[in-house]
């Protein structure tokens, strides 16, 4: 890094933005960390002080320039402070999922060659720690609660660093070609891959999406709860809050999530489809659908009730409301739209900074994931339909994986692995994944995601996986919603059969689902059947249930309940 005059820079990285807000609004609250019934507030000035002290400490360790520094923690105020300290001290930020097991953490630490690791808010550090070599220098975040000790008493303590080191005085800034971060994918198949992203990539993505993300708002607020190590939360919360000088609120725990969100009242909010479904179920638990439908038909009353629901969730001030990571059922989009919650679909992946397309609020085209962003080129393979992207914010490659890089980046085009269609207006539709598609015994291609989408309107289904590559026809594994699990079996069976009959009338003969299997165990991150970003691990699900596929397929009933 070089020390330079900020005003002379023709571009702004996150480091530049941070310096700007630290100087111009030192007393404005940047981070709000909930602890029980109160908040620990950290201003831009205080955040700057802590970032600068930690940068001094990191530089005192004598690391080679541009060293990779790891960070493992749930979302919290010091996650962002530590991340900025890594950048300000001239190193590369390498965040990891806080749900990793010890061996998984050990694998990515070894692969990324991190010799320093920030350790923060975690549920089971004792077991995760088994994957960390003794030669990795650990720095522990402070505890937010006086009755809770540091997560690792043997590590260098954050508060000790704050008490014994001086703040960095200079304003070092990165070169555009420098690595900004290495983001490890969530690993739906195989080991996670380290996606290398430069400062230039982030600068270009911010420049081309700033208008639609900032929305010219005088004040921005964010609610951080999805993993900050994932590209979506890194973009929507970290990058956008720092670019706009906003305030970030955090979720303290799953139990306090609803209360924390209602207090935050964010202007920007991102949720995956499963979260939107849970919001819907929460509303319907208090007001049945028939009553809600009746109220929404009455002009004045409908507005009052819709506003009350938006406020109850915490989205009454939200201007940018996004969903992504998985297909969003149209029925769910329309349901929220009736309440005045206009959810914009967005599409991207870690390898292209998650910034391929976004639904314009004034030109909605349902059934697509929005219009391709300015500066992004998209084309599809004429045979397989695979989506390829080219932009100035594509990754530079996978860390220490030249063969994988060469297979994914070809002539400047990133092969996404997603299958889709691009219309004449520049709107993109996703129809599946190349690796998920398989041939039926008669040689026809089956795209499981498109079939699964046909079950989206059945509120009794929380998760579904279409599979059965070796079977004469597909089958679908179903995890019931919480409400459905409390309902009698004949009622649920009848509902599932009705949905299946309707779906099979709309798809090709070879795509028709022969059996619905209601499984007992929900798919979660904890049992390794879901990634931390709520995506199914299809290969793990197949390995878990595969020996039962043929016996289930041979049963007489259409809906089979796992015993």
């Amino acid at each position: 890094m070089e020390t330079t005059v900020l005003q002379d820079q023709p571009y702004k990285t996150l480091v530049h933005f941070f310096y700007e807000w630290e100087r111009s609004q030192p007393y404005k609250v940047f981070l709000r960390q909930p602890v029980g019934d109160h908040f620990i507030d950290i201003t831009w000035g205080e955040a700057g002080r802590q970032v600068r002290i930690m940068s001094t400490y990191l530089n005192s360790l004598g690391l080679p320039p541009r060293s990779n520094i790891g960070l493992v923690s749930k979302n919290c105020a010091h996650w962002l402070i530590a991340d900025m300290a890594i950048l300000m001290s001239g190193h590369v930020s390498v965040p990891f999922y806080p749900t990793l097991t010890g061996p998984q953490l050990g694998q990515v630490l070894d692969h990324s060659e991190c010799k320093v690791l920030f350790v923060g808010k975690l549920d089971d550090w004792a077991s995760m720690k088994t994957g960390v070599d003794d030669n990795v220098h650990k720095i522990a975040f402070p505890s937010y609660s006086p009755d809770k000790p540091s997560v690792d008493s043997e590590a260098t303590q954050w508060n000790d660093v704050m008490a014994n080191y001086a703040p960095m005085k200079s304003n070092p800034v990165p070169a555009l070609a420098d690595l900004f971060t290495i983001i490890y994918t969530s690993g739906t198949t195989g080991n996670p891959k380290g996606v290398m992203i430069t400062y230039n990539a982030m600068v270009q993505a911010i420049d081309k999406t700033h208008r639609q993300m900032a929305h010219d708002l005088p004040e921005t607020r964010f609610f951080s709860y999805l993993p900050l190590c994932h590209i979506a939360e890194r973009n929507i919360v970290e990058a956008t809050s720092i670019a706009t000088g906003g305030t970030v609120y955090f979720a303290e725990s799953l139990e306090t999530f609803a209360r924390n969100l209602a207090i935050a009242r964010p202007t920007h909010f991102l949720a995956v489809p499963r979260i939107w479904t849970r919001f819907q179920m929460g509303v319907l638990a208090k007001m049945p659908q028939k009553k809600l439908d009746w109220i929404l038909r009455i002009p004045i009353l409908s507005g009052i009730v819709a506003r009350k629901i938006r406020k109850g969730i915490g989205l009454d001030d939200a201007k940018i409301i996004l969903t992504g990571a998985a297909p969003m059922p149209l029925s769910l989009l329309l349901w929220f739209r009736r309440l005045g919650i206009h959810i914009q679909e967005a599409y991207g992946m870690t390898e292209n900074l998650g910034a391929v397309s976004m639904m314009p609020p004034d030109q909605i085209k349902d059934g697509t994931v929005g219009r391709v962003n300015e500066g992004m080129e998209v084309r599809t393979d004429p045979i397989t339909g695979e989506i390829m992207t080219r932009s100035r914010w594509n990754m530079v490659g996978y860390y220490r994986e030249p063969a994988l890089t060469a297979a994914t980046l070809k002539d400047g085009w990133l092969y996404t692995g997603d299958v889709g269609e691009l219309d004449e207006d520049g709107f993109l539709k996703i129809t599946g994944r190349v690796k998920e598609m398989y041939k039926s015994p008669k040689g026809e291609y089956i795209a499981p995601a498109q079939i699964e989408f046909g079950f989206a309107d059945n509120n009794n289904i929380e998760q579904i996986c279409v599979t059965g590559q070796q079977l004469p026809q597909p089958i679908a594994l179903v995890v019931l919603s919480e409400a459905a699990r409390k309902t009698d079996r004949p009622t649920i069976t009848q509902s599932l059969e009705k949905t299946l009959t309707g779906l099979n009338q709309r798809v090709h003969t070879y795509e028709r689902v022969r059996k619905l299997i209601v499984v007992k165990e929900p798919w979660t991150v904890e049992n390794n059947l879901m990634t931390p970003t709520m995506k199914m691990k299809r290969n793990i699900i197949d390995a878990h249930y595969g020996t039962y596929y043929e016996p289930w397929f041979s049963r007489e009933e259409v809906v089979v309940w796992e015993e």
Side-chain angles (χ1 to χ4, degrees), residues 58-72:
L58 291 176
N59 286 334
S60 76
L61 298 178
L63 301 170
R66 315 304 307 153
S67 290
N68 298 337
I69 295 182
L71 198 172
V72 61

Side-chain angles (χ1 to χ4, degrees), residues 42-107:
I42 300 176
T43 63
W44 282 94
E46 174 59 19
R49 186 187 73 86
Q50 294 193 34
V51 167
R52 289 175 178 278
I53 291 175
M54 187 54 69
S55 296
T56 298
Y57 177 71
L58 291 176
N59 286 334
S60 76
L61 298 178
L63 301 170
R66 315 304 307 153
S67 290
N68 298 337
I69 295 182
L71 198 172
V72 61
S73 174
K74 289 183 177 181
N75 300 15
C76 62
H78 283 84
W79 199 107
L80 295 183
I81 295 174
D83 199 42
M84 288 307 305
I86 294 170
L87 305 184
M88 193 182 292
S89 59
H91 298 299
V92 181
S93 167
V94 189
F96 304 119
Y97 283 98
T99 51
L100 295 178
T101 63
Q104 288 170 338
L105 179 58
Q107 188 272 322

Side-chain angles (χ1 to χ4, degrees), residues 60 89 96 165 167 173 261 295 350 412 450 559:
S60 76
S89 59
F96 304 119
Y165 288 81
V173 296
L261 175 57
I295 289 173
T350 309
Q450 284 299 98
V559 177

Side-chain angles (χ1 to χ4, degrees), residues 192-239:
K193 300 182 289 290
V195 177
M196 296 187 289
I197 296 172
T198 64
Y199 281 95
N200 183 55
M202 181 60 80
V203 166
Q204 296 297 330
I206 290 175
D207 179 61
K208 297 301 183 184
T209 62
H210 177 77
R211 186 173 302 171
Q212 65 200 57
M213 288 307 303
H215 215 266
D216 296 324
L217 296 172
E219 181 182 346
T220 56
R221 294 188 302 279
F222 304 82
F223 184 68
S224 183
Y225 70 100
L226 293 173
L228 267 166
C229 56
H230 185 262
I231 190 61
E233 191 84 349
R234 202 91 177 273
N235 283 348
I236 305 304
V237 173
E238 182 181 43

